[in-house]
Amino acid sequence: MRLVLLGAPGSGKGTQAARLRDTLGIPHVSTGDLLRAAVKAGTPLGMQAKSVMDAGGLVSDDIVLGMLEERVAQVDAKAGFILDGYPRNVAQCAALEALLERLGQPLDVAVKLEVPNELIVERIAGRAAAEGRLDDTPETVRARLRVYAEQTAPVADHFAEIGKLVTVDGVGELDEVFQRIRKALPA
Ligand code: AMP
């Protein structure tokens, strides 16, 4: 199964993706995690990406696509993957489609987690306290939510147009939301 998880920062995508990985036995591919690893390792790409990430902006499409291509080419992704944090804009949608077509591995479904903005801000504040992510400051969070509304929200419209979008209520206990996602997945 190849699936994309969509949702605002703090919508619970990362947590749900990890659960799906454990249940479905396919890797969780998070472009945010790939980028954070590159920053931590101090690679040239990571150094380039760091300031953009700290400001809550989007890292260049080329950099992220390169990392993604490398990741999905690995052997554990042959049986499928859960994509988290990609695509983030309409150009990335087209790049993903082209990549998956080249690999002969079309996307099965895009799942969008819906969570109201007030709750998102609360959740991110909690995560900032727990994980100490540098891009979880109030200003950066506002910037990331703005980027999401302007650039990432249209991604869901694209998947709806091609008939691959399912929308799931992301408010509730983790288990509850997880069960909703499972029910929404194609058999
Ligand atoms: P995330 O962990 O998905 O919230 O991503 C953290 C940060 O990494 C984002 O705020 C962006 O700066 C960057 N990032 C992650 N995925 C992408 C992407 N697909 N395109 C551009 N930037 C990304």
Side-chain angles (χ1 to χ4, degrees):
M1 163 110 52
R2 284 170 294 275
L3 72 98
V4 164
L5 263 187
L6 299 172
S11 60
K13 282 192 315 286
T15 312
Q16 296 295 343
R19 291 213 171 179
L20 285 167
R21 170 198 61 207
D22 295 341
T23 307
L24 302 176
I26 50 178
H28 168 201
V29 176
S30 153
T31 47
D33 285 351
L34 293 174
L35 285 162
R36 280 184 288 277
V39 170
K40 203 163 163 212
T43 67
L45 288 186
M47 278 149 77
Q48 226 174 305
K50 185 178 185 327
S51 55
V52 180
M53 292 171 75
D54 286 348
L58 290 187
V59 175
S60 90
D61 289 346
D62 290 350
I63 291 184
V64 184
L65 180 63
M67 287 182 173
L68 179 69
E69 281 188 289
E70 226 173 81
R71 182 63 189 89
V72 297
Q74 286 170 21
V75 67
D76 65 335
K78 287 276 176 282
F81 47 78
I82 300 140
L83 202 48
D84 161 16
Y86 195 99
R88 224 47 174 228
N89 59 29
V90 170
Q92 292 184 6
C93 264
L96 177 66
E97 228 155 54
L99 169 64
L100 295 183
E101 193 165 315
R102 211 160 57 241
L103 296 172
Q105 299 182 339
L107 189 75
D108 292 297
V109 65
V111 178
K112 181 182 176 197
L113 281 181
E114 281 200 320
V115 177
N117 255 359
E118 315 83 73
L119 201 57
I120 294 265
V121 174
E122 237 173 73
R123 281 190 185 177
I124 295 185
R127 184 170 78 181
E131 294 177 19
R133 263 177 61 169
L134 286 177
D135 63 349
D136 275 345
T137 64
E139 306 84 81
T140 313
V141 168
R142 268 195 295 279
R144 283 159 62 211
L145 288 174
R146 201 169 47 242
V147 167
Y148 180 80
E150 289 171 5
Q151 302 199 48
T152 312
V155 167
D157 299 339
H158 167 77
F159 287 119
E161 273 163 28
I162 62 170
K164 290 198 173 166
L165 184 76
V166 295
T167 300
V168 169
D169 178 5
V171 181
E173 294 299 320
L174 291 181
D175 281 339
E176 219 179 320
V177 175
F178 182 65
Q179 293 311 330
R180 284 182 205 141
I181 295 174
R182 292 219 57 193
K183 276 198 203 123
L185 296 181

